[in-house]
């Protein structure tokens, strides 16, 4: 994909690709436009130029005037600080995005996902009662519940302490290999890149 | 003691608050989340009724919907509706006066909702409609309740504009505020005392409840 | 001491007069002439007689009270707020049936008010405006009061009542003759047998420190010059 | 055209805003930073005049400072001061009505000042007094200006309480708001139009200026 | 010193000492009461029990009812995020706490301090126009301008990117050795401890 975006005092101009099973890492300092790139892919900001393609399907193309709205892109997005809905319990958070009509099927799927990350017993808790790592897992699982074609993770470890970071990093690594899905990971921590990424896009 | 001003004020405040909510919530959302030219100006216009004297608003209403105005005549001939000197006129006055409180309250509380959460809901496949009703509105809840209560109180107490537009018809447009004024004018201090004590008690209780209520409802 | 009350409230060369709203037009003219002749300043506050009486009871800085009936002045005398010796009936008022010219309503008598075309009838609040009380008495004597009560719109005082008719928001109303003569209004005298005579009384406020000045104005109202003006505005004179 | 209601309203609003600032800024600070029992209740009491009808406030003032009240009689005999039906009475009414706007505005803007900065100033050897005037106040500046402007506007437009406490004496207590009401009553639409247009223009300009001003002054 | 403090759902109970030339590091995860300890020393919160002593002078003692107010403790405090006054220029920030009466003496002292940290040319800037590292240096220098008896640094690097952190760490190290002043350093980054601290208090 190729993105160009002009902001008040900032110009973003990048081009890169990600494939199944890959974890591509956008690496760079604060303010270099990493989050902005993810938001453009997710359809939350509109680039000024360029194109974005997923599975051979164009979801954005400036010249051809294509711009699929966010809700139809099929992209799993986990923002900085996770973005869990504070007024919904964990199970409600996860079922919120599911397209299945049947309540029971949704419940079943939700429980399966929760057990994947070992949080079955937290389903009735509100997000504020979870630890940082638990929140993160719920956010990822919530994104996966909509069967996305690609998963975007924005600084998944920035809110947690350094010792806990190490644990979470390994946890996610295992998790991602199991799911075998293209992942875009934003970080400014070189260790994240080292442990997780199969490829790096430099945003310095 | 004559209770009719109390019922009447409650009725007028109720209707005006419903209308206020229907206009104020979308407007507040627009001002908080919308991106359009003239937003600054719209925001100033919306504040106007909050800073203009009530009699000025009453005067505008009078020349806008009065018998001799174009709108007034049209309402009269097309629908046989006359707003001046009716409780519906009082509702109109109360609505205009309390609308800014509602809009500002809603705007502030929607602005305080993390746009990230709305964005996430979009990526989870939800329409703008769903985002608003399932994410924005529940999260802005407290501020909206507070705005509504303030708007209701303002509507209950409206005096100047109501006096000019709706007059002072006992049982029809003589609201609490006007009844108190009327009682004092006529030297009927017994009725004035009764109404003043009543409204004071109601108001204090609502304020305390509001305080409690907004503290309870947080996650 | 009563003499001391409100000492700094009004300045010596300024006369504060609380006058019934029905006197609005007449007194604006009288005041201008009086100011010219005595080289002073007169400040009027118009309102319903009852409202003004309440203000005086509460200590408003007023020198002369010119009411639209006798009752409010007598009450204030009893209360010690008006100097008994200064009370004086200076005029007798009349009420009229006022009809807005653009309202397309044919009404010349009180009975005509029964018409279903008439939705609102303006009347000064009889609780504190004497002209409203007179109107009420007239309707009662005709046996119309109970039939009309639903349609009544109370003005705060006589001149607001006139304004309701003038703007057409109430197509008809019962108002003082003294303020009925405006462009937008046709008016028809109401038989004075139908109500108690509207004897209007004035009096000097006892906490005023401008009492001589106030008496001068009262005298002027009753002077030949004053009476000409009062007559012009339709007052009967005692 | 008679300009005196305009001057009078400006004068009354000016005095009341000065008093409001003197009471409102410390009170706002107390509610934002103070820790004491009864803070909730104080906060509710402070909001009361915002939600009570103006005629109720007028009535309370009347029976509190009127000639027949204890306070009124004492003021009269001890200082020969009579507040009822004077412009000072109008200032009192305007102050009470606009005080909540000031206090709330100050409170909100002081609450938004990072307490860390105040703490640092303390460790740098400064007294509470210095901390307030050199750190808190300058940082809360915008909100305080906004609160002051709103309080001024509210004072300018006060109608109900003023009418009851100060009456309608041309040149003395006949404020803009009341002059408009009076002009309409007397059928003097020319004067009413003049005043209404004037106050509308003044208000719109102030609102736009306020918008500009609060945007300019940020670091 | 020995501090006890009970909060709604948290109890702090620690005892340690720091001497001239030492950099003691309070190390532990988020929420373990590190910042709270510094605030207690600085006199910004009142402990429930214990004592605090500086240079043999008691500034807090529960039983003896001693509690010197913050402004008289002579403590240099650099909070998380630096706490620079946004409405004052850099020079105003630094001169704010000086006790000298004479304006010229203050200016001179301020310039000397600024040149120590190589920021003479920034004196007329507002804090928002400085980078994270520059802000930090100004905050430290501002604290030193009051000639404190001890310097408290709360997570000095938490707001800056990892690459910049390394540079700042070394900069501060040099700086601290030059000043030879007792320093209390709060951090949850083990690298900070390793590079800077002469002693560690464990808050785990
Ligand atoms: N809505 C916006 N309007 C204007 N500028 C913006 C907007 N959002 C972000 N920016 C600017 O765009 C640039 C890139 O921001 P972005 O959030 O993508 O950085 P980042 O690489 O994610 O940094 P960080 O590590 O701090 O999250 C920054 O300079 C930021 O100030
Ligand atoms: N004013 C307060 N009232 C109640 N609890 C508080 C208050 N301030 C802090 N706490 C609680 O005290 C505990 C210790 O807080 P402290 O800020 O000292 O942690 P910390 O070790 O500095 O963590 P961090 O690395 O996140 O800054 C936390 O549980 C916090 O929630
Ligand atoms: O006292 Mo009046 O003149 O009937 O309003
Ligand atoms: Mg980012
Ligand atoms: Mg901390």
């Amino acid at each position: 994909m190729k993105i160009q975006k002009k902001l008040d005092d900032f110009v973003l101009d990048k081009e890169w690709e990600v494939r199944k099973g890959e974890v591509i890492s956008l690496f760079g300092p604060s303010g270099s436009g990493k989050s902005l790139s993810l938001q453009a892919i997710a359809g939350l900001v509109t680039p000024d130029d360029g194109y974005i393609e997923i599975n051979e399907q164009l979801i954005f193309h400036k010249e051809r005037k294509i711009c699929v709205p966010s809700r139809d892109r099929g992209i799993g997005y986990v923002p900085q600080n996770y973005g869990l809905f504070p007024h919904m319990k964990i199970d409600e958070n996860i079922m919120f995005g599911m397209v299945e009509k049947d309540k029971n099927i949704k419940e079943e799927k939700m429980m399966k996902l929760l057990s994947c990350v070992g949080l079955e017993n937290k389903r009735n808790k509100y997000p504020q009662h979870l630890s940082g790592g638990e929140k993160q897992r719920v956010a990822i699982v919530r994104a996966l519940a909509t069967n996305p074609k690609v998963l975007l993770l924005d600084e998944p470890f920035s809110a947690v302490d350094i010792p806990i970071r190490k644990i979470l990093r390994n946890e996610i690594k295992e998790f991602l290999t199991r799911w075998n899905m293209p992942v875009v990971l934003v970080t400014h921590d070189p260790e994240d890149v080292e442990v997780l990424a199969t490829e790096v896009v430099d945003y310095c | 003691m004559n209770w009719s001003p109390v019922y009447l004020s409650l009725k007028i405040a109720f209707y005006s608050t419903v209308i206020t909510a229907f206009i104020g919530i979308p407007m507040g959302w627009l001002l908080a989340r919308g991106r359009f030219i003239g937003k600054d100006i719209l925001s100033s216009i919306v504040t106007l009724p909050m800073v203009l004297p009530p009699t000025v608003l009453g005067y505008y209403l009078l020349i806008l919907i009065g018998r001799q105005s174009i709108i007034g005549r049209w309402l009269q001939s097309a629908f046989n509706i006359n707003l001046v000197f009716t409780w519906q006129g009082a509702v109109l006055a109360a609505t205009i006066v309390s609308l800014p409180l509602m809009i500002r309250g809603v705007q502030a509380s929607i602005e305080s909702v993390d746009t990230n959460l709305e964005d996430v809901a979009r990526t989870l496949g939800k329409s703008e409609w769903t985002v608003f009703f399932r994410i924005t509105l529940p999260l802005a809840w407290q501020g909206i309740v507070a705005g509504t209560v303030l708007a209701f109180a303002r509507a209950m107490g409206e005096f100047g504009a109501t006096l000019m537009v709706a007059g002072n018809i006992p049982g029809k447009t003589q609201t609490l505020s006007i009844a108190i004024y009327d009682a004092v004018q006529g030297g009927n201090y017994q009725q004035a005392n009764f109404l003043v004590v009543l409204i004071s008690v109601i108001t204090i209780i609502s304020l305390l409840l509001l305080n409690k209520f907004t503290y309870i409802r947080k996650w | 001491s009563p003499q001391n009350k409100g000492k700094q409230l009004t300045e010596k060369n300024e006369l504060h007069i609380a006058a019934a709203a029905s006197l609005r037009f007449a007194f604006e003219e009288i005041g201008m002439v009086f100011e010219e002749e005595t080289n002073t300043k007169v400040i009027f506050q118009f309102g319903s007689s009852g409202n003004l009486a309440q203000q005086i009871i509460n200590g408003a800085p007023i020198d002369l009270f010119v009411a639209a009936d006798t009752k409010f002045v007598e009450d204030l005398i009893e209360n010690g707020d008006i100097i008994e010796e200064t009370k004086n009936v200076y005029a007798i008022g009349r009420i009229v049936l006022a009809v807005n010219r653009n309202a397309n309503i044919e009404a010349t008598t009180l009975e005509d008010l029964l018409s279903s075309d008439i939705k609102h009838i303006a009347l000064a609040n009889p609780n504190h405006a004497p002209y409203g009380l007179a109107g009420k008495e007239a309707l009662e004597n005709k046996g119309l009061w109970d039939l009309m009560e639903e349609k009544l719109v109370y003005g705060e005082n006589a001149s607001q009542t006139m304004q309701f008719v003038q703007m057409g928001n109430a197509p008809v109303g019962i108002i003082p003759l003294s303020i009925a003569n405006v462009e937008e209004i046709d008016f028809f005298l109401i038989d004075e047998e139908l109500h108690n005579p509207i004897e209007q009384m004035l009096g000097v406020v006892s906490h005023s420190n401008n009492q001589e000045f106030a008496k001068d104005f009262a005298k002027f109202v009753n002077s030949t010059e004053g009476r000409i003006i009062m007559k012009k505005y339709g007052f009967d004179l005692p």
Side-chain angles (χ1 to χ4, degrees), chain A residues 34-69:
Chain A
K34 307 182 298 293
S35 300
L36 215 53
S37 301
L38 293 199
Q39 283 162 10
I41 299 169
L44 302 170
V45 298
T46 311
D48 295 322
D49 209 346
Y51 64 91
I52 304 168
E53 205 181 312
I54 299 183
N55 295 356
E56 263 112 66
Q57 191 204 332
L58 269 177
I59 55 173
F60 177 80
H61 197 294
K62 175 74 186 174
E63 268 107 63
R64 294 197 218 154
K65 294 209 160 64
I66 296 172
C67 185
V68 177

Side-chain angles (χ1 to χ4, degrees), chain B residues 52-69 84 93 96-97 158-166, chain C residues 163 166-167 169:
Chain B
L52 275 179
T55 52
V56 171
L57 295 174
Y59 188 67
Y60 279 129
L61 278 178
L62 213 50
I63 55 178
L64 211 71
I65 60 161
R67 249 331 152 101
Q68 277 158 344
S69 75
V84 186
I96 287 181
V97 162
E158 217 312 290
F159 176 63
T162 310
L163 190 60
M164 288 183 78
V165 176
Chain C
Q163 174 249 325
Q166 186 186 24
M167 276 191 101
N169 290 314

Side-chain angles (χ1 to χ4, degrees), chain C residues 41-112:
Chain C
K41 192 160 164 41
V42 181
I43 294 168
F44 291 111
Q45 181 185 357
F46 296 108
S48 74
S49 303
N51 174 243
L52 298 170
Q54 283 304 319
Q55 292 198 22
I56 291 166
I57 289 171
N58 279 308
I62 288 166
D63 302 308
L64 180 65
F65 178 35
V66 190
D69 71 350
T70 53
K71 175 180 167 287
F72 285 113
V73 176
E74 299 282 8
D75 285 354
L76 287 185
I77 288 171
E78 199 164 304
N79 215 26
D81 286 308
I82 294 238
I83 304 167
E84 170 136 39
E85 299 73 50
T86 61
K87 78 170 181 183
N88 166 249
V89 175
Y90 63 93
I92 294 139
R94 292 291 303 273
I95 49 174
V96 299
L97 173 62
V99 181
N100 184 290
R101 285 186 183 161
N102 301 319
N104 296 323
I105 281 185
E106 293 286 328
T108 54
T109 66
L110 292 179
E111 286 82 359
D112 293 341

Side-chain angles (χ1 to χ4, degrees), chain A residues 27-30 160-165 188-191:
Chain A
F27 175 71
S30 191
V160 288
D161 277 351
I162 287 179
I164 300 174
R165 250 181 238 194
H188 62 233
D189 188 338
E191 258 179 272

Side-chain angles (χ1 to χ4, degrees), chain A:
Chain A
M1 75 193 60
K2 183 174 165 65
I3 307 175
Q4 269 188 20
K5 171 90 190 165
K6 285 185 196 64
L7 288 172
D8 299 0
D9 50 359
F10 179 80
V11 180
L12 179 70
D13 190 350
K14 291 283 174 214
E15 186 163 7
W16 42 264
E17 260 184 272
V18 58
R19 269 174 300 270
K20 214 161 202 156
E22 269 187 5
V23 175
I24 197 165
S25 174
L26 311 189
F27 175 71
S30 191
S32 57
K34 307 182 298 293
S35 300
L36 215 53
S37 301
L38 293 199
Q39 283 162 10
I41 299 169
L44 302 170
V45 298
T46 311
D48 295 322
D49 209 346
Y51 64 91
I52 304 168
E53 205 181 312
I54 299 183
N55 295 356
E56 263 112 66
Q57 191 204 332
L58 269 177
I59 55 173
F60 177 80
H61 197 294
K62 175 74 186 174
E63 268 107 63
R64 294 197 218 154
K65 294 209 160 64
I66 296 172
C67 185
V68 177
S70 196
R71 65 174 173 280
D72 300 326
R73 291 198 178 185
I75 279 174
Y77 172 62
V78 180
Q80 246 160 320
N81 299 321
Y82 319 127
L84 294 181
F85 305 130
H87 58 304
M88 298 184 191
K89 292 178 179 170
I90 297 309
D91 51 1
E92 293 169 324
N93 257 286
I94 293 175
M95 292 191 291
F96 181 74
M98 294 185 186
V99 288
E100 288 83 356
K101 284 273 165 295
D102 190 286
K103 184 105 177 85
N104 291 331
I105 297 180
K106 278 162 88 171
E107 289 247 348
E108 204 176 301
K109 186 171 172 187
M110 182 269 299
M111 283 312 286
K112 215 162 81 190
L113 284 165
L114 268 186
S115 71
C116 271
V117 291
L119 291 174
E120 299 100 316
N121 56 340
K122 304 278 185 187
R123 64 169 290 189
N124 281 320
K125 291 251 185 306
Y126 282 99
Q128 59 167 356
H129 297 119
L130 299 191
S131 76
E134 289 167 345
K135 276 188 210 159
Q136 184 189 61
R137 280 177 273 169
V138 173
I140 293 175
V141 147
R142 179 180 64 178
L144 294 177
T146 61
N147 309 319
K149 299 170 212 140
V150 54
L151 187 62
L152 313 179
L153 300 178
D154 197 351
E155 311 239 11
F157 313 117
S158 64
V160 288
D161 277 351
I162 287 179
I164 300 174
R165 250 181 238 194
K166 284 204 212 309
I167 303 167
L168 287 182
R169 201 139 47 202
N170 293 325
E171 204 175 75
I172 270 206
K173 191 182 168 70
E174 193 195 324
F175 192 80
L176 292 179
T177 35
R178 201 156 13 122
W179 231 276
N180 192 30
M181 167 174 292
V183 172
V184 183
L185 172 79
V186 158
T187 182
H188 62 233
D189 188 338
E191 258 179 272
D192 288 349
V193 177
E194 210 172 290
V195 177
L196 290 171
T198 59
E199 208 167 315
V200 178
V201 181
D202 203 330
Y203 268 70
C204 292

Side-chain angles (χ1 to χ4, degrees), chain B residues 2-177:
Chain B
N2 180 4
W3 283 80
S4 86
V6 182
Y7 295 132
L8 190 66
S9 274
L10 285 172
K11 175 169 107 176
I12 289 171
F14 173 78
Y15 279 102
S16 99
T17 307
V18 170
I19 299 174
T20 299
F22 266 98
I23 306 174
I25 293 178
M27 284 285 277
W29 177 83
L30 204 67
L31 286 175
R33 291 285 188 253
R35 265 176 246 160
F36 52 92
I37 29 176
K39 188 168 146 177
D40 255 28
I41 294 185
L42 181 65
S43 157
S44 283
I45 290 174
V46 154
T47 322
L48 259 185
M50 200 152 87
V51 287
L52 275 179
T55 52
V56 171
L57 295 174
Y59 188 67
Y60 279 129
L61 278 178
L62 213 50
I63 55 178
L64 211 71
I65 60 161
R67 249 331 152 101
Q68 277 158 344
S69 75
I70 298 170
I71 299 178
R73 247 178 298 187
W74 173 74
L75 282 174
Q76 182 71 57
S77 62
F79 306 102
N80 201 17
I81 289 177
N82 183 11
L83 285 173
V84 186
F85 299 139
T86 60
W87 68 269
Q88 290 90 342
V91 169
L92 186 64
T95 303
I96 287 181
V97 162
S98 56
L99 199 51
L101 288 174
M102 180 66 109
I103 295 179
R104 286 276 168 239
V106 172
Q107 180 187 356
S109 57
I110 287 185
E111 271 169 359
S112 75
V113 173
D114 187 358
T115 51
N116 248 320
L117 298 178
E118 296 170 353
D119 277 351
V120 169
R122 287 187 189 104
T123 65
L124 289 172
K126 298 304 180 187
S127 65
E128 290 304 312
W129 204 249
T130 312
V131 170
F132 179 72
F133 280 103
R134 298 280 317 271
I135 308 295
T136 317
L137 206 54
L139 288 174
W141 181 239
Q142 274 197 27
I144 292 175
V145 168
T148 309
V149 171
L150 277 185
F152 187 86
R154 184 73 183 79
M156 275 287 283
E158 217 312 290
F159 176 63
T162 310
L163 190 60
M164 288 183 78
V165 176
N168 174 6
I169 310 174
K172 289 228 180 103
T173 66
Q174 194 186 69
T175 59
L176 243 166
S177 224

